[in-house]
Amino acid sequence: MTIQWFPGHMAKAKRQVTEKLKLIDVVIELLDARLPYSSQNPMMDELVKDKPRLVLLNKEDLADQSITKEWLRFFEQKEFKALAVDAQSGKGISAIPPACQELASHIIRKMKDKGMKPRPIRALIVGIPNVGKSSLINRLAKRHVAKTGDRPGVTKAQQWIKTGGGLELLDTPGILWPKFDDQLVGFKLAASGAIRDEILPKDEVALFAVDFLRRAYPQRLEERYALTELGDGETVQLMEEIGRKRGCLKGGGSVDFERTSDLILNDLRSGKFGPVSFETPQDFETE
Ligand code: GDP
């Protein structure tokens, strides 16, 4: 379920995250490894300020490994600690508690200097809907933690979850909105399945997807739909060819673009083109 983000919801979500930030030592910012820039909340820096931050690139199983490595380097150059993880299978998860301990080493040192036994480091997971926050909490908790629902207004008593390794988590994640102001970001979010299909016209999202695949992964596009040559014609013609090849036709024999769009988007989201990354750090070098 994806939230409809109205200004009132955004204000409330921001307030809730700000309140939760007061309780914790480290922020765990969850991004989609396929689109780390586009899956980031636009207010993140402003909200987190100087709090130590661990960047996690989740769904790394769906992303292009070599591009994920570039993103990890990109975040490290910005002096963020960053890890690639797969919250579904659990890959990379064991590196999270030690990374949080390292980020909060000054807090641990202070407690030791005062002669106290260090308490576990406290963290909050923050991210846009569908990025994998609940999956990550369940993985770290090693059990199923009930989801409060993707409604920023829903509140309940905060609980701490022990994960082992000297880390505790708030049981409810911080849910924030994605970047909406940039059309390209919207198309990437929609093509990857991060936002609901009703938000942007599906045929336009599919057209974007084919256009992206023909530029970034031409061979995989050719192979998947047995296309002989991508050529340099209009992308809509390619879509038509795909529709014809796959028998997505209307009664009169013309191509059914609705069905063709569904086919392409389902293939993309379920990994039929192999691991795919929608953006690289170089895409943003000029910004
Ligand atoms: P939340 O809305 O941020 O809490 O996201 P969820 O934890 O509910 O996950 C959204 C969807 O992404 C679910 O279908 C998960 O199974 C899936 N998911 C979460 N993490 C991963 C991952 O690392 N890899 C893959 N392939 N899917 C994931």
Side-chain angles (χ1 to χ4, degrees), residues 175-190:
I175 306 167
L176 290 169
W177 60 95
K179 298 183 175 101
F180 285 122
D181 50 348
D182 179 334
Q183 210 191 14
L184 180 59
V185 167
F187 277 117
K188 288 182 199 171
L189 287 166

PDB file of all heavy atoms in Angstrom, residues 175-190:
ATOM      1  N   ILE A 175       8.444   6.808   8.243  1.00  0.00           N
ATOM      2  CA  ILE A 175       7.996   6.721   6.844  1.00  0.00           C
ATOM      3  C   ILE A 175       7.982   8.123   6.256  1.00  0.00           C
ATOM      4  O   ILE A 175       7.299   9.007   6.769  1.00  0.00           O
ATOM      5  CB  ILE A 175       6.578   6.112   6.746  1.00  0.00           C
ATOM      6  CG1 ILE A 175       6.539   4.765   7.478  1.00  0.00           C
ATOM      7  CG2 ILE A 175       6.162   5.943   5.294  1.00  0.00           C
ATOM      8  CD1 ILE A 175       5.129   4.253   7.711  1.00  0.00           C
ATOM      9  N   LEU A 176       8.735   8.312   5.201  1.00  0.00           N
ATOM     10  CA  LEU A 176       8.791   9.638   4.570  1.00  0.00           C
ATOM     11  C   LEU A 176       8.423   9.530   3.095  1.00  0.00           C
ATOM     12  O   LEU A 176       8.462   8.457   2.507  1.00  0.00           O
ATOM     13  CB  LEU A 176      10.183  10.240   4.742  1.00  0.00           C
ATOM     14  CG  LEU A 176      10.530  10.658   6.180  1.00  0.00           C
ATOM     15  CD1 LEU A 176      12.012  10.995   6.290  1.00  0.00           C
ATOM     16  CD2 LEU A 176       9.696  11.845   6.636  1.00  0.00           C
ATOM     17  N   TRP A 177       8.108  10.660   2.509  1.00  0.00           N
ATOM     18  CA  TRP A 177       7.657  10.695   1.117  1.00  0.00           C
ATOM     19  C   TRP A 177       8.850  10.750   0.160  1.00  0.00           C
ATOM     20  O   TRP A 177       9.915  11.249   0.514  1.00  0.00           O
ATOM     21  CB  TRP A 177       6.747  11.905   0.907  1.00  0.00           C
ATOM     22  CG  TRP A 177       7.435  13.211   1.199  1.00  0.00           C
ATOM     23  CD1 TRP A 177       8.053  14.036   0.311  1.00  0.00           C
ATOM     24  CD2 TRP A 177       7.593  13.830   2.489  1.00  0.00           C
ATOM     25  NE1 TRP A 177       8.573  15.120   0.961  1.00  0.00           N
ATOM     26  CE2 TRP A 177       8.321  15.021   2.297  1.00  0.00           C
ATOM     27  CE3 TRP A 177       7.199  13.485   3.798  1.00  0.00           C
ATOM     28  CZ2 TRP A 177       8.658  15.875   3.343  1.00  0.00           C
ATOM     29  CZ3 TRP A 177       7.538  14.339   4.840  1.00  0.00           C
ATOM     30  CH2 TRP A 177       8.245  15.514   4.611  1.00  0.00           C
ATOM     31  N   PRO A 178       8.652  10.244  -1.057  1.00  0.00           N
ATOM     32  CA  PRO A 178       9.733  10.336  -2.050  1.00  0.00           C
ATOM     33  C   PRO A 178       9.781  11.735  -2.682  1.00  0.00           C
ATOM     34  O   PRO A 178       8.954  12.585  -2.373  1.00  0.00           O
ATOM     35  CB  PRO A 178       9.354   9.285  -3.076  1.00  0.00           C
ATOM     36  CG  PRO A 178       7.881   9.143  -2.975  1.00  0.00           C
ATOM     37  CD  PRO A 178       7.480   9.522  -1.575  1.00  0.00           C
ATOM     38  N   LYS A 179      10.733  11.934  -3.570  1.00  0.00           N
ATOM     39  CA  LYS A 179      10.817  13.211  -4.303  1.00  0.00           C
ATOM     40  C   LYS A 179       9.718  13.205  -5.361  1.00  0.00           C
ATOM     41  O   LYS A 179       9.659  12.303  -6.177  1.00  0.00           O
ATOM     42  CB  LYS A 179      12.168  13.299  -5.017  1.00  0.00           C
ATOM     43  CG  LYS A 179      13.359  13.280  -4.093  1.00  0.00           C
ATOM     44  CD  LYS A 179      14.645  13.440  -4.908  1.00  0.00           C
ATOM     45  CE  LYS A 179      15.855  13.557  -4.025  1.00  0.00           C
ATOM     46  NZ  LYS A 179      16.641  12.329  -3.883  1.00  0.00           N
ATOM     47  N   PHE A 180       8.868  14.179  -5.331  1.00  0.00           N
ATOM     48  CA  PHE A 180       7.774  14.205  -6.297  1.00  0.00           C
ATOM     49  C   PHE A 180       7.969  15.271  -7.376  1.00  0.00           C
ATOM     50  O   PHE A 180       7.280  15.292  -8.367  1.00  0.00           O
ATOM     51  CB  PHE A 180       6.449  14.526  -5.596  1.00  0.00           C
ATOM     52  CG  PHE A 180       5.891  13.388  -4.823  1.00  0.00           C
ATOM     53  CD1 PHE A 180       5.642  13.507  -3.467  1.00  0.00           C
ATOM     54  CD2 PHE A 180       5.604  12.185  -5.450  1.00  0.00           C
ATOM     55  CE1 PHE A 180       5.115  12.448  -2.750  1.00  0.00           C
ATOM     56  CE2 PHE A 180       5.082  11.115  -4.734  1.00  0.00           C
ATOM     57  CZ  PHE A 180       4.837  11.253  -3.381  1.00  0.00           C
ATOM     58  N   ASP A 181       8.885  16.196  -7.100  1.00  0.00           N
ATOM     59  CA  ASP A 181       8.963  17.385  -7.945  1.00  0.00           C
ATOM     60  C   ASP A 181       9.602  17.130  -9.305  1.00  0.00           C
ATOM     61  O   ASP A 181       9.459  17.916 -10.215  1.00  0.00           O
ATOM     62  CB  ASP A 181       9.728  18.502  -7.206  1.00  0.00           C
ATOM     63  CG  ASP A 181      11.052  18.010  -6.646  1.00  0.00           C
ATOM     64  OD1 ASP A 181      11.254  16.777  -6.631  1.00  0.00           O
ATOM     65  OD2 ASP A 181      11.882  18.837  -6.247  1.00  0.00           O
ATOM     66  N   ASP A 182      10.280  16.009  -9.458  1.00  0.00           N
ATOM     67  CA  ASP A 182      11.049  15.739 -10.660  1.00  0.00           C
ATOM     68  C   ASP A 182      10.360  14.600 -11.422  1.00  0.00           C
ATOM     69  O   ASP A 182      10.192  13.506 -10.896  1.00  0.00           O
ATOM     70  CB  ASP A 182      12.470  15.347 -10.196  1.00  0.00           C
ATOM     71  CG  ASP A 182      13.404  15.000 -11.324  1.00  0.00           C
ATOM     72  OD1 ASP A 182      12.921  14.573 -12.394  1.00  0.00           O
ATOM     73  OD2 ASP A 182      14.609  15.121 -11.128  1.00  0.00           O
ATOM     74  N   GLN A 183       9.977  14.855 -12.672  1.00  0.00           N
ATOM     75  CA  GLN A 183       9.218  13.857 -13.419  1.00  0.00           C
ATOM     76  C   GLN A 183      10.020  12.574 -13.661  1.00  0.00           C
ATOM     77  O   GLN A 183       9.482  11.471 -13.577  1.00  0.00           O
ATOM     78  CB  GLN A 183       8.768  14.463 -14.746  1.00  0.00           C
ATOM     79  CG  GLN A 183       7.474  13.844 -15.194  1.00  0.00           C
ATOM     80  CD  GLN A 183       7.126  14.201 -16.616  1.00  0.00           C
ATOM     81  OE1 GLN A 183       7.940  14.693 -17.387  1.00  0.00           O
ATOM     82  NE2 GLN A 183       5.894  13.938 -16.972  1.00  0.00           N
ATOM     83  N   LEU A 184      11.313  12.742 -13.916  1.00  0.00           N
ATOM     84  CA  LEU A 184      12.157  11.577 -14.170  1.00  0.00           C
ATOM     85  C   LEU A 184      12.211  10.666 -12.937  1.00  0.00           C
ATOM     86  O   LEU A 184      12.117   9.439 -13.054  1.00  0.00           O
ATOM     87  CB  LEU A 184      13.579  12.058 -14.553  1.00  0.00           C
ATOM     88  CG  LEU A 184      14.602  10.980 -14.866  1.00  0.00           C
ATOM     89  CD1 LEU A 184      14.154  10.097 -16.021  1.00  0.00           C
ATOM     90  CD2 LEU A 184      15.965  11.606 -15.171  1.00  0.00           C
ATOM     91  N   VAL A 185      12.319  11.278 -11.763  1.00  0.00           N
ATOM     92  CA  VAL A 185      12.310  10.522 -10.511  1.00  0.00           C
ATOM     93  C   VAL A 185      11.002   9.738 -10.396  1.00  0.00           C
ATOM     94  O   VAL A 185      10.994   8.548 -10.067  1.00  0.00           O
ATOM     95  CB  VAL A 185      12.493  11.462  -9.294  1.00  0.00           C
ATOM     96  CG1 VAL A 185      12.177  10.741  -7.992  1.00  0.00           C
ATOM     97  CG2 VAL A 185      13.907  12.023  -9.255  1.00  0.00           C
ATOM     98  N   GLY A 186       9.890  10.407 -10.709  1.00  0.00           N
ATOM     99  CA  GLY A 186       8.580   9.762 -10.650  1.00  0.00           C
ATOM    100  C   GLY A 186       8.512   8.535 -11.554  1.00  0.00           C
ATOM    101  O   GLY A 186       8.034   7.476 -11.147  1.00  0.00           O
ATOM    102  N   PHE A 187       9.053   8.659 -12.759  1.00  0.00           N
ATOM    103  CA  PHE A 187       9.037   7.521 -13.691  1.00  0.00           C
ATOM    104  C   PHE A 187       9.914   6.371 -13.194  1.00  0.00           C
ATOM    105  O   PHE A 187       9.552   5.213 -13.322  1.00  0.00           O
ATOM    106  CB  PHE A 187       9.464   7.963 -15.096  1.00  0.00           C
ATOM    107  CG  PHE A 187       8.324   8.573 -15.873  1.00  0.00           C
ATOM    108  CD1 PHE A 187       8.359   9.895 -16.276  1.00  0.00           C
ATOM    109  CD2 PHE A 187       7.210   7.803 -16.194  1.00  0.00           C
ATOM    110  CE1 PHE A 187       7.293  10.459 -16.980  1.00  0.00           C
ATOM    111  CE2 PHE A 187       6.131   8.350 -16.900  1.00  0.00           C
ATOM    112  CZ  PHE A 187       6.184   9.688 -17.292  1.00  0.00           C
ATOM    113  N   LYS A 188      11.057   6.700 -12.621  1.00  0.00           N
ATOM    114  CA  LYS A 188      11.927   5.633 -12.095  1.00  0.00           C
ATOM    115  C   LYS A 188      11.251   4.915 -10.933  1.00  0.00           C
ATOM    116  O   LYS A 188      11.297   3.687 -10.840  1.00  0.00           O
ATOM    117  CB  LYS A 188      13.258   6.219 -11.614  1.00  0.00           C
ATOM    118  CG  LYS A 188      14.184   6.668 -12.733  1.00  0.00           C
ATOM    119  CD  LYS A 188      15.457   7.181 -12.094  1.00  0.00           C
ATOM    120  CE  LYS A 188      16.268   8.051 -13.021  1.00  0.00           C
ATOM    121  NZ  LYS A 188      17.380   8.705 -12.316  1.00  0.00           N
ATOM    122  N   LEU A 189      10.622   5.688 -10.048  1.00  0.00           N
ATOM    123  CA  LEU A 189       9.925   5.087  -8.900  1.00  0.00           C
ATOM    124  C   LEU A 189       8.792   4.187  -9.390  1.00  0.00           C
ATOM    125  O   LEU A 189       8.593   3.087  -8.882  1.00  0.00           O
ATOM    126  CB  LEU A 189       9.370   6.178  -7.976  1.00  0.00           C
ATOM    127  CG  LEU A 189      10.397   6.941  -7.128  1.00  0.00           C
ATOM    128  CD1 LEU A 189       9.766   8.197  -6.525  1.00  0.00           C
ATOM    129  CD2 LEU A 189      10.955   6.064  -6.011  1.00  0.00           C
ATOM    130  N   ALA A 190       8.068   4.661 -10.388  1.00  0.00           N
ATOM    131  CA  ALA A 190       6.938   3.881 -10.907  1.00  0.00           C
ATOM    132  C   ALA A 190       7.429   2.633 -11.640  1.00  0.00           C
ATOM    133  O   ALA A 190       6.911   1.534 -11.426  1.00  0.00           O
ATOM    134  CB  ALA A 190       6.091   4.743 -11.829  1.00  0.00           C
TER     135      ALA A 190
END
